Amino acid sequence: MGHRSGRVLRRIPIDCSGTGRTAERDPGPVAVDKVKDLRGIVRIWTRLTHLPSGILLIVALSSGCGPRAHIPLRPITLQGALPATDSGAMLAGSIAPVLYLQRDERFPLSRTVAVLHPEKPIIAYHLLWRDDVNGSWIPFTVATDQEIVWVGYDPSGAPVDVWTYWHGTILHTPWPRSQVAINVQWGKHGSLPRGIIESSLPAPKKLNFFFAATRFLVPDAFLGRIVRGGPVLFPHSYNRYRDFSKMTTIADRLDAIVRTKDPDETLRAVFGKYSKKPAWPPGI
């Protein structure tokens, strides 16, 4: 999947009450880039279930030779990497988002890279998760899960805008000049600004849809477990699915900080093969 552009983004509302979960209120405008969700996996699984049982068994067994993550060793030297004393590197660390994982998350965060735009006041934080709960058995897929959070800052270095990648949609919200906080979805690692009003997410990419998918895509997750391990289903309630209480900081674990418009060379060196999601939000 190559770099993509999209339409001008619209804002999503957030609840600043500090509840820690996504809020459920009236819907507001949502920023949309391009639509991509679980329907492709559902279509593939539906076709497989109509195959003769013997063929389906062969598919399941052959999935054991499916794609696996090959994350390279951290490079000792990295072309273009900013030294720790660089003002840009210090800024990237100071406004790096804090992640709030769903409490039952199984896949670790393997690598993080911060990319400063050389001309505009925005920093991309690329996150490489070890795996994704869905579609991991499908041949030729990328075995890891790349996600992105972008933070825009004002002349004083305070964060004032946040964009996140959410299953093919780029969400955007103004941020109140404070610590950026991101909720991370169980198993799939979609990134949500903490406090987002949940009903403002675009259909069908709402949290309740993905929660339901943890049930109706159990066969998909089972095949994924044969290939690379991982959970077969989310065995808890919807309230727990929305419990983002496992805090993880990334400021102290940035594997690289660079200043470039095109981070592909850096990401390939640090991540290995990755999904190549958009380097920047539309309009940047």
Side-chain angles (χ1 to χ4, degrees):
M1 181 165 28
H3 294 274
R4 295 168 293 174
S5 60
R7 296 176 292 176
V8 175
L9 300 183
R10 294 180 296 168
R11 293 176 177 178
I12 55 171
I14 59 172
D15 177 9
C16 299
S17 64
T19 59
R21 296 185 178 183
T22 55
E24 293 183 298
R25 288 192 190 173
D26 294 334
V30 178
V32 177
D33 179 13
K34 289 187 178 180
V35 175
K36 180 185 177 185
D37 50 46
L38 296 175
R39 286 173 293 182
I41 295 173
V42 174
R43 285 195 297 268
I44 293 172
W45 179 251
T46 300
R47 290 167 186 165
L48 286 174
T49 56
H50 285 81
L51 293 174
S53 58
I55 296 177
L56 183 57
L57 179 61
I58 292 172
V59 171
L61 294 176
S62 64
S63 295
C65 299
R68 297 179 182 272
H70 296 286
I71 302 174
L73 295 174
R74 290 177 175 84
I76 298 175
T77 59
L78 185 66
Q79 184 176 0
L82 300 178
T85 55
D86 183 274
S87 60
M90 291 189 285
L91 176 63
S94 68
I95 65 173
V98 172
L99 307 181
Y100 288 86
L101 282 60
Q102 195 283 331
R103 58 187 284 192
D104 303 294
E105 178 57 49
R106 292 277 301 276
F107 299 120
L109 178 62
S110 297
R111 297 287 170 84
T112 59
V113 171
V115 181
L116 289 85
H117 196 287
E119 299 171 359
K120 298 185 178 182
I122 183 173
I123 301 175
Y125 295 89
H126 293 260
L127 313 173
L128 189 73
W129 300 91
R130 185 71 183 183
D131 211 336
D132 185 313
V133 71
N134 293 120
S136 60
W137 57 275
I138 300 174
F140 311 113
T141 57
V142 176
T144 53
D145 184 13
Q146 175 209 11
E147 302 294 338
I148 315 173
V149 175
W150 298 270
V151 178
Y153 55 91
D154 67 11
S156 73
V160 291
D161 286 283
V162 170
W163 297 259
T164 65
Y165 191 88
W166 177 253
H167 306 292
T169 294
I170 295 181
L171 308 176
H172 173 228
T173 186
W175 199 260
R177 297 173 57 87
S178 59
Q179 174 65 60
V180 174
I182 302 296
N183 290 343
V184 179
Q185 176 192 18
W186 178 85
K188 297 195 66 61
H189 314 118
S191 303
L192 293 171
R194 192 165 175 84
I196 186 176
I197 296 176
E198 185 179 319
S199 55
S200 69
L201 292 172
K205 294 182 243 183
K206 298 182 185 293
L207 276 178
N208 56 6
F209 169 80
F210 288 105
F211 175 72
T214 66
R215 270 59 175 171
F216 68 73
L217 286 181
V218 164
D220 166 85
F222 177 76
L223 288 179
R225 183 167 186 161
I226 293 174
V227 178
R228 297 198 293 264
V232 172
L233 80 164
F234 183 80
H236 305 292
S237 67
Y238 182 53
N239 280 338
R240 182 152 169 169
Y241 188 75
R242 298 171 61 245
D243 181 2
F244 303 102
S245 56
K246 187 177 179 180
M247 187 179 77
T248 298
T249 60
I250 65 171
D252 55 349
R253 56 181 300 177
L254 292 171
D255 295 291
I257 305 175
V258 297
R259 183 183 288 108
T260 180
K261 286 184 180 179
D262 183 1
D264 180 63
E265 182 177 352
T266 298
L267 295 179
R268 283 189 286 108
V270 180
F271 289 0
K273 186 178 181 180
Y274 71 104
S275 301
K276 295 189 177 181
K277 291 174 179 175
W280 305 103
I284 301 297

